Amino acid sequence: MSASRYTYLGPEGTFTEAALRTLPEAATRELVPKVSVPAALDAVRGGEAAAALVPIENSVEGGVTATLDELATGTPLMIYREVLLRIAFALLVRPGTKLSDIKTVTGHPVAQPQVRKWLAAHLPDARWESAASNADGARLVREGRYDAAFAGEFAAATYGLEPLVTDIHDARNAETRFVLAGRPARPAARTGADRTSMVVWLRDDHPGALMELLQEFSARGVNLTWIESRPTGEGMGRYCFSIDCEGHITDRRVAETLMGLKRICPNVRFLGSYPRASAEGAEGPGAPSGGAPRPGTSDADFVAAAEWLARCQDGRA
């Protein structure tokens, strides 16, 4: 395995590359762009790279399905870091292009919902076609296949384009969460402001099945930060759930929740415990939330309860 190489959703000039470069270790790694999320993660599975940074969730559009599906299937991977990046788009054009010249626009599919209102207001007749990434859209504009691309302003120089309009976003403070995934190993050390990720499959479809799953978290005071369903491909109505919760696998409440899920579910894929991140460049809703656990859910509470049970079993209660 090349420990000095990280892959990411490319090509050069993507928001994913910008997010990756916020990690201190990126300065000492070879950063290799890949054409897709599966390609970036498969490079890790195959030993070509030590880790891959890929987008997993957007505050406007929700989960990035390519990443969710790749992490839920195939050879297991684990998440070791996350990055939150505030997202604002620039409309990149070939030099000399005016707004009235634009008939076709492109960008990543996740970008479209984030600029839909701006498009309706300023380019109502322009035709949108999706690209593999925002940076790839910029490349297609350079080649003359489209008139404009929505991408990061930083991508303009890479592709010989000009930012005709900057700071475009329908939702103020929109952000995307990226995760750094590697091959399974010991989770990152507990920080006290952590996130644990997993994928859970229901045993069967019956009334209250999802409630039973969620009660494993609720009964132990574990706060969910995200849950999203994805079809398993095994037929209509068959789903798995990508779940994030506050806490670390070494926290007793999180560990017992995972054990409870494993008891009632046919398959639970642990995706890692790692430090929560705040959005690059600003404080805001993405800032880590640590704080004391709810009464009765701290490690000390779990230890005390276990000791009480042992005394009961020994006749010492």
Side-chain angles (χ1 to χ4, degrees):
M1 176 187 297
S2 177
S4 62
R5 182 179 297 135
Y6 282 178
T7 57
Y8 65 92
L9 175 61
E12 293 182 29
T14 58
F15 284 109
T16 309
E17 181 187 12
L20 178 56
R21 292 189 180 277
T22 67
L23 297 179
E25 60 266 36
T28 60
R29 302 293 196 276
E30 177 189 3
L31 307 184
V32 180
K34 293 292 182 179
V35 297
S36 65
V37 167
L41 295 175
D42 282 345
V44 179
R45 290 182 170 115
E48 178 187 338
L53 193 83
V54 292
I56 194 169
E57 179 188 8
N58 177 265
S59 62
V60 175
E61 185 66 357
V64 179
T65 56
T67 300
L68 297 179
D69 292 345
E70 276 297 309
L71 291 176
T73 61
T75 304
L77 295 171
M78 271 182 55
I79 298 169
Y80 294 95
R81 296 283 297 275
E82 70 173 13
V83 177
L84 286 176
L85 190 71
R86 293 283 170 82
I87 303 295
F89 294 91
L91 188 68
L92 304 187
V93 299
R94 293 181 295 277
T97 301
K98 301 186 295 294
L99 201 63
S100 58
D101 299 328
I102 297 174
K103 307 302 180 186
T104 57
V105 295
T106 188
H108 191 276
V110 174
Q112 187 181 19
Q114 301 179 65
V115 299
R116 186 180 291 125
K117 293 179 182 178
W118 189 94
L119 268 174
H122 298 89
L123 293 170
D125 298 322
R127 186 180 78 252
W128 172 281
E129 292 191 22
S130 294
S133 68
N134 297 310
D136 193 55
R139 177 185 64 81
L140 296 172
V141 171
R142 181 186 63 188
E143 295 176 357
R145 295 176 58 181
Y146 299 101
D147 298 324
F150 285 97
E153 185 177 356
F154 48 79
T158 300
Y159 294 96
L161 303 177
E162 293 180 348
L164 184 62
V165 185
T166 60
D167 198 30
I168 300 172
H169 47 71
D170 289 350
R172 190 169 185 82
N173 296 328
E175 58 190 16
T176 295
R177 182 163 67 104
F178 303 82
V179 292
L180 186 71
R183 298 176 78 174
R186 183 179 294 275
R190 181 183 184 276
T191 68
D194 303 291
R195 191 191 310 275
T196 293
S197 297
M198 68 203 74
V199 184
V200 180
W201 284 257
L202 295 178
R203 186 174 302 280
D204 53 49
D205 184 18
H206 63 270
L210 180 57
M211 183 187 300
E212 291 171 5
L213 185 157
L214 296 177
Q215 283 176 337
E216 296 296 326
F217 295 89
S218 176
R220 298 169 178 86
V222 176
N223 185 43
L224 295 187
T225 58
W226 183 45
I227 179 169
E228 186 152 336
S229 64
R230 293 292 300 151
T232 63
E234 298 173 352
M236 296 296 293
R238 303 298 298 273
Y239 295 93
C240 63
F241 295 86
S242 294
I243 298 174
D244 289 346
C245 68
E246 290 183 348
H248 194 275
I249 192 172
T250 58
D251 295 333
R252 291 288 292 268
R253 64 186 183 279
V254 176
E256 293 204 9
T257 297
L258 287 168
M259 286 192 292
L261 292 171
K262 187 62 178 174
R263 178 178 53 81
I264 66 171
C265 299
N267 191 12
V268 178
R269 177 171 285 198
F270 172 65
L271 293 180
S273 293
Y274 48 92
R276 299 186 69 184
S278 59
E280 176 67 16
E283 295 298 324
S289 65
R294 292 178 57 201
T297 66
S298 70
D299 279 7
D301 293 324
F302 276 89
V303 170
E307 291 175 346
W308 172 83
L309 180 62
R311 290 196 301 272
C312 291
Q313 292 171 334
D314 289 343
R316 295 181 290 114

